[in-house]
Amino acid sequence: MEWSNQSPRMIPVDVATRWNSTLHMIKVALKLRIHLDAFCSYVYTDEGRSAFANCSKIVQISHEQWFLLQNVCK
C-alpha cells in the first residue's frame, strides 16, 4: 500500500473554544473525583509528604466545591 495516495487525517478537536476547553476539563475532573480525593488524602499523610517534597500547592476540593462544579456542567 502506498501512503502518498492517502489524504492526511485530521485529529478531532473536542475543544474549539476556551469555554469548551474549561467545560471539558471540569467534566474530566468530575470523572476522576474519587481518584483526586484519594490522591489528596494520600499527599497529606506522612508517607505522602516524604514522596512529594512540595505538596503545599496541592489543594483538596471540598464537597461544596464538587457540588458547584457539577452544577456548572449542567
Side-chain angles (χ1 to χ4, degrees):
M1 176 154 98
E2 190 173 316
W3 293 102
S4 62
N5 293 336
Q6 298 280 332
S7 63
R9 299 196 181 241
M10 296 289 295
I11 297 173
V13 179
D14 293 336
V15 289
T17 65
R18 287 187 195 142
W19 167 247
N20 288 339
S21 175
T22 303
L23 180 61
H24 180 71
M25 181 188 67
I26 292 171
K27 286 181 178 181
V28 169
L30 287 170
K31 288 180 185 177
L32 296 173
R33 177 183 177 178
I34 295 170
H35 304 288
L36 292 172
D37 283 341
F39 175 75
C40 288
S41 296
Y42 168 75
V43 164
Y44 290 109
T45 64
D46 292 334
E47 183 182 351
R49 284 190 199 105
S50 65
F52 295 93
N54 189 7
C55 63
S56 63
K57 295 181 181 181
I58 298 174
V59 178
Q60 191 164 9
I61 299 174
S62 69
H63 294 292
E64 294 82 16
Q65 290 169 328
W66 282 117
F67 180 73
L68 289 173
L69 288 173
Q70 287 173 338
N71 287 328
V72 165
C73 286
K74 291 178 183 178

